[in-house]
Amino acid sequence: MSMLTPPGMGGKYRITGDKYPRMRRPSGRRRIVLAAVAALAAFGLIGWGTLQLVDVFTGGDEASAAAGGKDCARQPEHRSAAQKAAPLPEPRRITVNVFNATPREGLAKKTADDLKKRGFAVAKFDNATKTYDKKVKGPGIVLGPRSALDTALPVLATQLTGAEKRTDGRKGDTIDLILGAGFKGLTQEKDAAKALAALAKPSPAPSGPSSDDGRNC
C-alpha cells in the first residue's frame, strides 16, 4: 500500500503514480478576449467623458448646427415702413395757425386762405410773437406738439419747401406755420401733392436673403 493511501481505505481508493492534479492556467485565447473587452470599456468611458467636456465648453450649439440648424434661433423679421410709421392725417384733420414773422403786411392772411383752399383747417392768422418775430431766416417753421412730429408736422411741411420742423410743450393737436424772411409763397400745388403722396407711400422692405432662412445662423 502506498504511503499516500489514507488509513482505513484498505487500498480501495489508492492514489498511484507520482503526479498531482494541478489547476490549469487560462488559455491564451481567453486572455485575449478579456483584454479586448476591458480595452473597449476603457475607450467607451474615455469617449463619453470627452463628449461631456465638449458639451460643457461649447454648450452643444455646434452639434445642433451640424445637425441642420434645426435649433438655430430665428432672427427678428424686418418690419416694413408702413408697420413702423403712424398713419398720416388728412389735411382736413389738421388745424393750423398762421403767423407772420416778416415785415410784410397781409402775408399771414393770404397764406391762411391758400391753406384753406388746399383742405387744411385754419384756426387763426396773426403776427408772430416776439420769440419768432423777425427772427426766422428761412422760409418758415412748422411748430407743434411732440405727438405731431411724425404726423401733422410733415404733412404741413409738404406745403412749404424748406420749412423747419420743431416741437414744443403745448397740449392739443393744433400746429403753427410761422412765415420767415425766406418765404416766397407756398409750394406749387402739384409739387406739394407729389410730396404728400411720397410721404404717405411706405418705403420698400429691405432686399436680400431673409434673416430666418438659417443661412446666417
Side-chain angles (χ1 to χ4, degrees), residues 190-202:
K190 61 178 181 179
D191 295 331
K194 289 180 181 179
L196 186 59
L199 185 66
K201 184 179 180 181

Side-chain angles (χ1 to χ4, degrees), residues 129-146:
T129 62
K130 291 182 179 180
T131 303
Y132 297 102
D133 190 29
K134 300 180 181 63
K135 296 178 182 178
V136 180
K137 297 181 179 180
I141 298 173
V142 288
L143 179 67
R146 177 170 290 275

Side-chain angles (χ1 to χ4, degrees), residues 97-110:
N97 298 321
V98 183
F99 297 109
N100 183 10
T102 75
R104 292 175 282 174
E105 295 183 1
L107 203 58
K109 182 181 184 307
K110 182 180 184 308

Side-chain angles (χ1 to χ4, degrees), residues 35-51:
V37 171
L40 288 175
F43 282 123
L45 289 174
I46 293 173
W48 180 82
T50 302
L51 289 176

